[in-house]
Amino acid sequence: MAVDLSVNIGDLFLKNPVMTASGTFGYGLEFADFIPLEALGGIIVKGTTLHPREGNPYPRMVETPQGMLNCVGLQNKGVDYFCSHIYPQIKDINTNMIVNVSGSCPEDYAECAERINELECIPAIELNISCPNVKQGGMAFGVTAEGAASVVKAVRAVYDKTLIVKLSPNVTDIAGIARSVEDAGADAVSLINTLMGMVIDIERRRPVLSISTGGLSGPAVRPIAVRMVWQVAQAVKIPVVGLGGIMNARDAVEFLLAGASAIEIGTANFIDPTVTLKVIRGIEDYLERHGCRSVREIIGAMEC
Amino acid sequence: MRKYVLDLTLKSNERLREGYFLLKLTDGNPLPPMEPGQFAELKVDGSETTFLRRPISINYVDEQQNEVWFLVHEVGDGTRRLGTLVAGDRLNVVLPLGHGFTMPSSASERYLLVGGGVGTAPLLYMGKRMAEAGCRPTFLLGGRSAGDLMQLDMFRALGDVCITTEDGSAGERGFVTHHSVLSAASFDRIAVCGPKPMMKAVAAYARSKGTECEVSLENMMACGVGACLCCVEKTTEGHVCVCKEGPVFNINRLLWQ
């Protein structure tokens, strides 16, 4: 008996709950030699902004215990370049190609989202109100309920497909922010983005990263992410997409049990470019072992 | 070029000198095509402080023996772990990654290959491929002292070898840029791999002579495939990924002065 791995995120149908996290999987094409991209539930491509961004200076990355810090800073060639050069290369990949959208003011977010709304083969966007590595915008919107709602409202007014909002963990009450973006019209929330951190080179007595701080990802953050997904899933009615340090199927199931309807794999792609396939297979094995016919049976099925 | 994730088998792990070891790996299937200057991402198991793979340049490919070689410098716990591997161990490798050195356009092209320290590693495979194309390169290899220079017999079999050491214990005393071959001979093309100050000095020499010059960068990497945008170098076209656009760059693309 085949197990049904499909899930829905609002109107978005996913053949399985495994997606790739923005900024860790390029535009998917970078991994096409390693896995059949159409096997994935979705691919969330690199953060895109209205105008091109150079990103932060090198060095942008430092390895940490069970993780890494990055301060890439949303380097991308802008939405026009995305539409004219990237979209034609990815539009025929047979999975949900989702664009992560960022900006420095609500108007920029909205204009960028409006452009992507016109792209037939992009069924959803993930609104990034949680990037810790840019001076203006980014996380600034994601750390207050009012700021988060203002961006979501501006985008909702011009974007009519599935709108996922990516939340920052660098807040005191993530459930409150999730509720505010739900009220502002989001179809789903995804969490967590990276946790702001810092590493110091003690010999040089200087920060390792060019802008001093960066976002922590990898298994080091996973228990925090699981806790936040659990809290948010109880606070909102819209679907929750869980991410943060997922390295294998066990970790993915943990997020599903905590209440996530789907998950994203990020940093693990750097260590094993085929990890997504292994997670899909591993979720299937788990469901068979537990006598489940559908992955939907385990969403939020943690018992307290 | 198509990239692969492979579980290779270690044939030997030879310590070439203190802190440097040579891994020779093989596979049941023929190894994929690889170009000189490309690199691989080696998975490190069993290190508590190592989370990411380690990018290591391709030292040599022996098609007859179906082997790929990696010359590794022990820098931290990750590379130290790789040094503890023994024959028969499996090592998960992603390869080939990035763009390598430009091959000579003709057999008569005078090609200078400059290496310092572990930076000599990719030049051995480059020399082999050039020899197969009927070229005889000049190698200019530098170290602090005679004991720093590795694989010299293999280099000598492939081309003319010039050596500098800072203490004068082998070859000419000084840095590679002080070697007499640079004033005695002229070259059509130069490829360099080594410490950044050395590469910058050779690049300055190449500019002064109007010689085509490529350098191999080793910015800190995470993904190795151009997805994470961590290892960027600022170039004439803005920030580009060293792992995907490089690691080999023509100096005219770099903002080095």
Side-chain angles (χ1 to χ4, degrees):
Chain A
M1 183 185 64
V3 176
D4 180 8
L5 288 177
S6 68
V7 296
N8 290 287
I9 302 294
D11 293 334
L12 194 66
F13 173 81
L14 277 63
K15 65 188 88 169
N16 64 62
V18 177
M19 299 192 281
T20 55
S22 178
T24 67
F25 208 68
Y27 294 100
L29 303 166
E30 291 83 348
F31 287 78
D33 282 351
F34 304 120
I35 60 162
L37 299 174
E38 65 276 9
L40 301 172
I43 295 174
I44 304 182
V45 306
K46 178 68 191 160
T48 301
T49 50
L50 182 60
H51 303 294
R53 289 183 61 100
E54 259 290 279
N56 291 317
Y58 179 86
R60 294 175 169 185
M61 189 276 294
V62 58
E63 198 173 23
T64 60
Q66 290 293 300
M68 56 178 271
L69 282 177
N70 88 81
C71 64
V72 172
L74 295 176
Q75 178 181 328
N76 79 101
K77 292 182 174 170
V79 72
D80 286 342
Y81 185 88
F82 175 81
C83 293
S84 60
H85 288 79
I86 309 287
Y87 178 67
Q89 297 180 64
I90 65 170
K91 69 182 179 58
D92 296 325
I93 298 173
N94 187 19
T95 184
N96 292 301
M97 298 302 291
I98 299 170
V99 179
N100 180 283
V101 170
S102 201
S104 43
C105 60
E107 295 75 24
D108 284 3
Y109 276 96
E111 201 174 332
C112 190
E114 200 169 5
R115 296 290 314 279
I116 292 166
N117 198 37
E118 295 161 15
L119 304 177
E120 191 188 351
C121 302
I122 304 292
I125 59 173
E126 181 181 62
L127 211 56
N128 181 359
I129 56 167
S130 44
C131 178
N133 299 323
V134 292
K135 286 201 186 85
Q136 285 191 323
M139 195 173 84
F141 295 108
V143 293
T144 65
E146 300 74 30
S150 71
V151 177
V152 176
K153 272 183 194 147
V155 171
R156 183 77 284 175
V158 296
Y159 189 77
D160 52 27
K161 296 188 227 174
T162 302
L163 174 58
I164 305 166
V165 181
K166 190 169 185 176
L167 304 181
S168 171
N170 302 294
V171 296
T172 46
D173 177 17
I174 195 165
I177 299 202
R179 275 192 298 268
S180 76
V181 304
E182 178 181 37
D183 292 343
D187 296 310
V189 287
S190 57
L191 62 140
I192 59 173
N193 204 321
T194 55
L195 279 149
M196 208 166 176
M198 184 171 181
V199 173
I200 297 169
D201 179 336
I202 62 163
E203 298 304 325
R204 295 167 61 237
R205 302 188 181 187
R206 295 173 64 86
V208 172
L209 295 177
S210 63
I211 61 161
S212 301
T213 60
L216 180 65
S217 64
V221 310
R222 194 177 58 239
I224 299 170
V226 171
R227 181 266 294 179
M228 288 184 159
V229 164
W230 175 65
Q231 289 178 324
V232 168
Q234 293 173 89
V236 297
K237 294 183 188 68
I238 52 177
V240 176
V241 178
L243 72 152
I246 296 174
M247 299 299 284
N248 51 46
R250 189 220 75 91
D251 301 345
V253 169
E254 192 179 14
F255 277 86
L256 297 170
L257 290 172
S261 296
I263 58 105
E264 298 176 19
I265 296 180
T267 307
N269 291 305
F270 305 159
I271 288 107
D272 180 359
T274 67
V275 65
T276 43
L277 288 190
K278 292 173 184 168
V279 170
I280 294 167
R281 266 186 245 123
I283 292 172
E284 203 168 5
D285 288 347
Y286 174 88
L287 295 172
E288 282 172 4
R289 273 198 297 119
H290 285 258
C292 304
R293 274 181 288 185
S294 163
V295 68
R296 291 186 294 277
E297 292 172 37
I298 66 165
I299 294 169
M302 181 184 73
E303 295 168 17
C304 290
Chain B
M1 287 177 75
R2 190 179 167 88
K3 302 180 278 285
Y4 297 82
V5 191
L6 299 171
D7 274 315
L8 300 182
T9 303
L10 191 70
K11 274 178 100 170
S12 66
N13 176 0
E14 186 190 350
R15 204 145 280 263
L16 298 189
R17 54 178 280 238
E18 183 60 34
Y20 294 81
F21 55 90
L22 180 65
L23 301 176
K24 295 184 180 178
L25 296 146
T26 190
D27 193 31
N29 299 311
L31 291 167
M34 293 172 250
E35 299 297 331
Q38 289 188 302
F39 68 101
E41 285 262 35
L42 277 50
K43 190 159 181 290
V44 180
D45 290 319
S47 166
E48 285 187 12
T49 55
T50 306
F51 177 62
L52 298 166
R53 286 172 182 262
R54 290 295 177 261
I56 307 287
S57 67
I58 292 164
N59 174 227
Y60 195 74
V61 178
D62 184 333
E63 287 88 0
Q64 267 79 48
Q65 300 293 319
N66 197 39
E67 288 176 359
V68 57
W69 299 5
F70 298 103
L71 176 52
V72 184
H73 178 200
E74 284 179 354
V75 179
D77 194 56
T79 43
R80 254 194 304 281
R81 288 279 165 175
L82 291 173
T84 64
L85 294 172
V86 296
D89 283 351
R90 305 281 267 179
L91 182 63
N92 187 271
V93 173
V94 182
L95 86 186
L97 299 173
H99 284 98
F101 296 111
T102 303
M103 289 300 286
S105 54
S106 75
S108 61
E109 195 168 290
R110 292 160 301 170
Y111 210 133
L112 179 67
L113 302 174
V114 187
V118 75
T120 60
L123 305 183
L124 188 66
Y125 183 40
M126 182 63 178
K128 184 204 181 211
R129 290 287 295 271
M130 288 181 67
E132 286 167 358
C135 294
R136 191 170 169 82
T138 300
F139 296 103
L140 175 52
L141 310 176
R144 271 187 287 274
S145 67
D148 292 354
L149 301 160
M150 295 171 281
Q151 301 178 303
L152 281 180
D153 290 347
M154 293 196 70
F155 281 113
R156 287 190 174 115
L158 297 168
D160 302 318
V161 176
C162 304
I163 289 170
T164 61
T165 51
E166 289 171 40
D167 65 1
S169 55
E172 297 183 13
R173 182 192 293 269
F175 296 120
V176 288
T177 40
H178 300 145
H179 198 281
S180 57
V181 73
L182 295 182
S183 47
S186 66
F187 298 94
D188 301 313
R189 189 178 280 280
I190 303 175
V192 202
C193 185
K196 207 163 191 178
M198 188 203 91
M199 293 198 290
K200 285 191 171 177
V202 177
Y205 164 83
R207 280 214 178 88
S208 74
K209 299 283 182 183
T211 309
E212 284 291 311
C213 181
E214 291 177 330
V215 297
S216 179
L217 305 185
E218 51 172 13
N219 295 11
M220 290 289 287
M221 292 175 187
C223 73
V225 296
C228 70
L229 312 187
C230 287
C231 64
V232 292
E233 178 75 17
K234 198 140 192 180
T235 70
T236 52
E237 308 116 78
H239 281 135
V240 302
C241 289
V242 168
C243 68
K244 188 180 181 186
E245 306 276 326
V248 174
F249 288 90
N250 189 298
I251 56 170
N252 294 330
R253 284 183 73 188
L254 302 176
L255 303 181
W256 293 5
Q257 291 309 315

